[in-house]
Amino acid sequence: MKDKLTTKIKSLAQWEHMPCLLYMICIIVFHTAYKCTGDDADLIANILKPTIMDELSSVVYNFNSWSSRVLVNLPIHILLHLDYKVWLVVEIFLYFVIFKTLSFIFIKENKTKNNYILFGLLMLFPFNYALTAGWITTTMTYIWPLAFSLWSCTTIKSIFEGRKYKWYHYIVFFFTTLYGSNQEQLSVILTIVFVITTMLLVQSKKITPMIIMQTIICVGNLMLHMLAPGNSNRSQVEAAARFPDYNTLSIMDKLELGFSSSLYEFFFTANFLVFFMGIIIAVLIFMKTNNWFYRLIGLVPFLSQGFFGCFCNEILEKRLHIAIFVNRMHSSGTIDEANYYSWQSYYAIVLLFAISICLIVSLYIIFGNTTKSIYAIGLLFAGLGARMVVAFSPTIWVSSNRTFIVMYFVFIGITTMLINELDWKRLGKFKYGIYGIMIPLITYYTWLQCMALEL
């Protein structure tokens, strides 16, 4: 009886869909903490129209006066008229879509084992970032378009594998791509990804109407965000109310602000996701090359996150002089008029740039001169570019941590690609070291998330 029970437990643990089931259980538990706060409460009390039909009629007005996110914002206004359980059902389904699409796009071999690692990576995403402006408003602005964007990208892998699409698939992917790219950051990423895909398919003479359609939609939505009158009007209003000095920043100032604030989050603050990614990069570099210079480069992402992020407080307590790097971020970036002529003010931006170069070189060494390398590095540039775009809005600080959500999932995607490159047989017993690092990280971070959600 005991042997049968053990066999069933092992069989269940080895089930390919078990990691997804565990993830959905965690998502459902997290959602039990739902509260109507922030923009949700403000929209319901002050902004919503009397009826859903009135919301439909105000689309053009909102486009001209406030935001180009017409397809993203309209469902928010509609669902806030309904019982929150309607949103909850769709929300949980879309988290399921996120897991399954990430698995489909990035995981090729060792499905069960790698799905468990994907589950772990997703649990290292700071879930509370998706609640900062009100639970419904934030998730529908960032998580929902993200799910549809990932869904849209499944066509890329399918087409490279030679799949043919039927007419109704074009309808489905037309709407998923249109909705996903209607969010500004995602329009940047999707445009870069689909343009890269188009170029590769043209080069290999495999271009299809599906990819052409999706590329046109993404480029069109990107142009819409750039030219929409509502975005410029909102920028003026927000600058006056929330960031009075914003209009004094030059284009270079905004680029520096976008670059430094983006990478500060991932390398100069404790970030377990990037810490784990750095470990995987270091392991793969040591497996793929004996060149010690390349190995040192491969250690930089891991060591920088550990030194300046995860263990920063312990290092500061020992009075080591790293404050010149980690305490340099302010509203205008790391450099402003007050410290422009100080050499120390440039240390942080130079170090962040060096870390970025080492990360890019590491990815190229790991993936080699392949399509994977193009996508991994292209995805990194796209994610960073999408976050840097936020610096061209005066709401960069008011928008809080939610503007990092998309970039977190970029790192999750890249890390999943890296996991596929691991030779588990060659790793031998060292694979238990990877699990030994990841399991405590997930457990500790999940506990922190539960505390933050007051579960």
Side-chain angles (χ1 to χ4, degrees):
M1 182 69 179
K2 186 178 179 180
D3 291 339
K4 286 184 178 181
L5 182 61
T6 303
T7 303
K8 285 184 178 180
I9 291 172
K10 286 183 178 179
S11 177
L12 197 61
Q14 293 169 1
W15 184 38
E16 182 181 322
H17 303 290
M18 179 53 70
C20 182
L21 179 60
L22 292 174
Y23 181 62
M24 295 315 300
I25 291 171
C26 292
I27 290 298
I28 291 169
V29 171
F30 286 164
H31 278 79
T32 60
Y34 169 74
K35 296 182 182 73
C36 184
T37 58
D39 284 0
D40 294 352
D42 184 52
L43 284 168
I44 291 171
N46 304 313
I47 298 175
L48 290 188
K49 306 299 180 185
T51 68
I52 291 176
M53 291 307 297
D54 291 328
E55 297 291 355
L56 293 172
S57 64
S58 65
V59 168
V60 175
Y61 172 78
N62 290 331
F63 174 77
N64 287 321
S65 64
W66 196 248
S67 175
S68 58
R69 283 182 248 149
V70 177
L71 296 178
V72 171
N73 288 340
L74 180 59
I76 297 174
H77 286 230
I78 291 174
L79 282 182
L80 284 173
H81 278 277
L82 308 174
D83 191 302
Y84 86 96
K85 293 184 181 67
V86 177
W87 159 79
L88 186 61
V89 170
V90 181
E91 168 96 348
I92 291 171
F93 170 73
L94 289 177
Y95 272 103
F96 170 79
V97 169
I98 287 172
F99 188 100
K100 298 304 283 187
T101 51
L102 282 170
S103 178
F104 175 79
I105 294 169
F106 295 110
I107 296 176
K108 186 176 181 181
E109 298 175 350
N110 300 312
K111 273 281 186 179
T112 302
K113 186 181 293 183
N114 289 342
N115 275 339
Y116 273 112
I117 295 178
L118 174 59
F119 161 65
L121 295 174
L122 287 169
M123 292 305 295
L124 293 177
F125 165 69
F127 188 78
N128 58 305
Y129 279 22
L131 321 178
T132 53
W135 204 318
I136 294 177
T137 304
T138 309
T139 56
M140 290 188 68
T141 303
Y142 292 92
I143 299 298
W144 288 30
L146 174 69
F148 279 92
S149 296
L150 288 169
W151 193 350
S152 301
C153 290
T154 59
T155 59
I156 297 172
K157 182 176 180 180
S158 297
I159 287 169
F160 274 113
E161 292 177 347
R163 179 177 175 179
K164 304 295 182 183
Y165 283 103
K166 297 183 179 179
W167 65 268
Y168 53 84
H169 290 129
Y170 284 83
I171 298 174
V172 172
F173 286 109
F174 174 85
F175 285 106
T176 58
T177 310
L178 188 66
Y179 179 78
S181 61
N182 195 236
Q183 203 271 358
E184 295 95 323
Q185 289 180 288
L186 288 166
S187 73
V188 173
I189 293 177
L190 287 175
T191 298
I192 292 173
V193 168
F194 278 107
V195 166
I196 289 173
T197 302
T198 300
M199 292 170 65
L200 290 172
L201 290 174
V202 167
Q203 186 181 31
S204 61
K205 298 180 181 179
K206 293 181 180 178
I207 193 66
T208 67
M210 177 68 81
I211 294 298
I212 293 173
M213 177 190 75
Q214 290 180 288
T215 305
I216 292 171
I217 291 171
C218 293
V219 172
N221 251 329
L222 183 61
M223 296 300 294
L224 179 74
H225 295 311
M226 294 172 66
L227 302 174
N231 288 344
S232 59
N233 291 336
R234 182 184 181 185
S235 181
Q236 294 174 17
V237 173
E238 297 283 13
R242 304 181 187 275
F243 197 162
D245 295 332
Y246 178 77
N247 290 327
T248 66
L249 300 179
S250 66
I251 291 178
M252 288 302 298
D253 292 333
K254 292 173 184 176
L255 288 172
E256 189 276 324
L257 173 59
F259 178 80
S260 58
S261 65
S262 299
L263 292 184
Y264 244 77
E265 169 74 13
F266 295 97
F267 291 102
F268 285 1
T269 61
N271 193 299
F272 293 143
L273 174 62
V274 173
F275 183 70
F276 183 75
M277 182 185 74
I279 292 172
I280 300 301
I281 287 173
V283 170
L284 284 168
I285 291 289
F286 272 73
M287 290 177 69
K288 288 185 177 280
T289 179
N290 293 320
N291 186 306
W292 278 100
F293 178 68
Y294 290 154
R295 287 184 170 187
L296 287 174
I297 289 175
L299 286 170
V300 169
F302 162 62
L303 292 177
S304 58
Q305 171 49 225
F307 197 74
F308 299 107
C310 287
F311 306 109
C312 174
N313 291 334
E314 288 76 6
I315 293 169
L316 283 173
E317 286 176 2
K318 295 183 182 298
R319 303 178 184 276
L320 297 179
H321 298 292
I322 66 169
I324 57 174
F325 300 109
V326 298
N327 295 327
R328 289 288 170 179
M329 182 56 59
H330 44 78
S331 62
S332 300
T334 58
I335 304 166
D336 60 11
E337 292 181 0
N339 63 17
Y340 186 82
Y341 294 103
S342 170
W343 282 106
Q344 287 191 352
S345 64
Y346 292 88
Y347 290 167
I349 191 73
V350 170
L351 181 59
L352 288 171
F353 184 76
I355 293 170
S356 303
I357 295 298
C358 289
L359 182 56
I360 293 167
V361 172
S362 297
L363 291 176
Y364 184 77
I365 294 170
I366 290 167
F367 294 113
N369 191 25
T370 64
T371 303
K372 289 181 184 178
S373 188
I374 295 172
Y375 274 112
I377 296 171
L379 198 55
L380 181 65
F381 274 107
L384 180 59
R387 177 57 182 69
M388 288 178 66
V389 164
V390 180
F392 287 82
S393 167
T395 60
I396 180 171
W397 300 117
V398 177
S399 295
S400 186
N401 296 326
R402 59 185 176 271
T403 59
F404 291 107
I405 290 174
V406 173
M407 200 167 172
Y408 265 94
F409 278 89
V410 165
F411 278 117
I412 288 172
I414 291 172
T415 308
T416 310
M417 290 180 70
L418 292 167
I419 293 296
N420 276 318
E421 296 298 306
L422 287 173
D423 185 341
W424 292 98
K425 290 183 179 179
R426 187 178 167 191
L427 277 173
K429 291 184 178 180
F430 189 75
K431 64 185 177 184
Y432 298 111
I434 294 176
Y435 291 137
I437 293 170
M438 191 169 199
I439 291 171
L441 282 180
I442 296 166
T443 304
Y444 175 64
Y445 200 71
T446 302
W447 176 75
L448 290 179
Q449 301 237 51
C450 290
M451 294 290 288
L453 294 171
E454 299 179 357
L455 287 172

